[in-house]
Amino acid sequence: MLWACLFLPSLPLDVFARAQSPVDAAKPFAVGSGGRTPRIVSANAGARDAGIHPGQLVSASLALAPDLALRERDPDAESAALAAVASWATQFTPAVALAPPD
């Protein structure tokens, strides 16, 4: 039996990036965890170039890149996107299993 695995570590970022224009995609953008001490979950190339990385406090990220566009993680949109990828994968196999959140 053969197995294939699709690992989507940037899914929290990708659900927002789909709606961005190419100009906006070049600007620093990150997704935060929300909550009392929010941390960066995922960041685009522009944000990574500014020194922002996953796990970093949002306050530290804003100190590095004051123009950082920040969105809070959207679990519902991530679930919908993951389900869409699973539906797409059924063209290759009848057996698809999801292992959220990645």
Side-chain angles (χ1 to χ4, degrees):
M1 177 177 278
L2 297 175
W3 291 84
C5 175
L6 299 177
F7 181 56
L8 307 170
S10 65
L11 187 63
L13 181 69
D14 294 339
V15 297
F16 294 110
R18 294 185 298 180
Q20 289 182 331
S21 70
V23 173
D24 289 336
K27 296 177 183 176
F29 178 76
V31 177
S33 63
R36 187 172 164 187
T37 54
R39 295 188 177 271
I40 298 298
V41 175
S42 189
N44 73 355
R48 288 191 308 270
D49 290 344
I52 297 167
H53 56 84
Q56 187 174 41
L57 288 171
V58 167
S59 57
S61 301
L62 290 170
L64 290 171
D67 61 336
L68 177 69
L70 187 65
R71 297 287 300 264
E72 191 170 322
R73 193 171 192 173
D74 187 348
D76 293 334
E78 290 175 35
S79 293
L82 193 58
V85 170
S87 294
W88 169 83
T90 60
Q91 66 183 314
F92 303 107
T93 179
V96 175
L98 297 178
D102 299 327

